Amino acid sequence: MGASTRDEILKLVERHFQETLGDAKFRPGIDWVPVSGKSFGPLEMQSLVAAALEFDITAGLRAQRFAQHLNRLLGMSRVLLTNSGSSANLLAVATLCSKSLRERRLLPGHEVITAATGFPTTLNPILQHNLTAVLVDAEPGTYNPSVASIEAALGPKTRALFLAHTLGNPVDLDRIRGICHALDLYLVEDSCDALGSSFLGQPAGSWGHLSTFSFYPAHHITTGEGGALACASGELARVALSLRDWGRHCWCQPGQDNTCGKRYDWSFPGLPSGIDHKYVYSEIGYNLKLTDLQSALGEVQVRRLGEFEAIRNHNFHRLNQVFKQHEDWFILPRSIPGAKPSWFGYPVTIREEAPFTRTEMISYLDSKKIATRMIFAGNLQRQPAYENHPGIRISGDLLGSDTVLKSSFWLGVCQAIDDSRLDYMCETLHEWLRSARLIGR
């Protein structure tokens, strides 16, 4: 296809975007205000169509460029793209259980400390690898475990900490990394909600041995489905790459051969001499790769991360101004010293003294077409999937997580919420809260 034809197609794509999506007006009370959602412009649509015209439909140069851009943001040894953030979490735990790590590998029965308040796919890989998940409590307000609760959960079988930055709010990474260093523990950061957040000026997702990210439309940037695993060392990156790519020993990029220069000259116990290196499998792996079509979106979106962060933080602070007028009824979100969140949402917890329940408040917001969400599973231990699970140990009373399960929710601050939607949200919240005070609900 000639360059002129391609250019003409991409100009038509921009025109199509403007005609179909460029002038959509928000209609209060008719259109939903989302908690999250994709935000894109003509550049993303053009990039996706350009990738389709190139028809490199597996992982190729665009995937490489996208991964490299992420790695420059984080400063890790290597970033591997995956087909989801949940897959990245699975890949992180599988990597730490690899026999390639020898005496440093995690074995069945070893304990991994994680938060009771969180998303299931942080917990699930721990259980799926026959490790013991030690659930620690979260604090309403930060919605993260305290350092004290983590220290109380440590035991002789502890080998790793797998902690999420809830709704983009960083945990105390400095002290937690210090614990891991002193006790020779792995630190895995679930940063799926936290791309763009930082602690002491260093990016969240760059403090641990491994860190994970999600690019689902709910997140800071999107590739539709997609995620990433960042690795702090070459050793972990080599293991993770093998596990992501079927378990193969070869490290050639798709469509490439003989990168090592000795494709037929390797020797492996039990395999015939001269075996093709591309068909040697050193791990029990998966296929969790991201495609170039998805990476075409990511390449554009990641360049807009700063723009998106500014919108999210602006929206967060506007909502905070509303709720601060009613602190007697709500536990407001807070971060710890040194943390700079790039907020995923605006979380609140309704105090017992409030004259209304969470169900009453979110039902009212629903009636006004303002979406809300729970803070994920609330208390994972109480979810049906984990009832009496032999792979779970509880540390402490989890009262904070129970409070989150019963009384917390969050509102959207994403870049899809423009000023017209934000004004409507704030006006609707003011109306509800003024009414509650006037009638003494």
Side-chain angles (χ1 to χ4, degrees), residues 93-233:
V93 176
T95 296
L96 297 183
C97 292
S98 168
K99 64 181 181 181
S100 300
L101 300 183
R102 300 182 178 86
E103 69 277 1
R104 287 279 289 145
R105 70 185 292 204
L106 302 189
L107 296 169
H110 282 165
E111 293 187 346
V112 180
I113 295 172
T114 193
T117 293
F119 199 69
T121 56
T122 308
L123 172 60
N124 292 349
I126 301 170
L127 303 178
Q128 289 160 345
H129 284 81
N130 296 314
L131 304 169
T132 297
V134 182
L135 298 185
V136 295
D137 205 8
E139 298 179 314
T142 68
Y143 303 96
N144 289 323
S146 68
V147 172
S149 69
I150 292 168
E151 289 175 331
L154 294 167
K157 295 182 180 180
T158 307
R159 294 295 184 274
L161 276 62
F162 193 176
L163 300 172
H165 307 298
T166 307
L167 293 173
N169 193 17
V171 300
D172 193 333
L173 285 162
D174 190 41
R175 293 175 64 192
I176 288 169
R177 187 167 69 173
I179 292 169
C180 291
H181 180 74
L183 300 177
D184 195 25
L185 308 176
Y186 286 114
L187 174 59
V188 184
E189 295 178 70
D190 183 335
S191 302
C192 288
D193 296 351
L195 183 64
S197 298
S198 63
F199 194 82
L200 298 178
Q202 181 177 330
S206 68
W207 290 75
H209 296 88
L210 297 166
S211 61
T212 61
F213 298 88
S214 174
F215 308 130
Y216 191 71
H219 293 268
H220 287 69
I221 65 171
T222 187
T223 56
E225 301 284 354
L229 176 70
C231 308
S233 72

Side-chain angles (χ1 to χ4, degrees), residues 6-7 27 74 86 94 132 149 151 179-180 193 205 207 218 224 271 346-347 350 368 382:
R6 177 183 181 277
D7 291 347
R27 298 168 297 173
L74 297 169
S86 298
T132 297
S149 69
E151 289 175 331
I179 292 169
C180 291
D193 296 351
W207 290 75
L271 295 178
Y346 186 90
I350 299 174
K368 299 296 184 178
R382 298 196 182 279

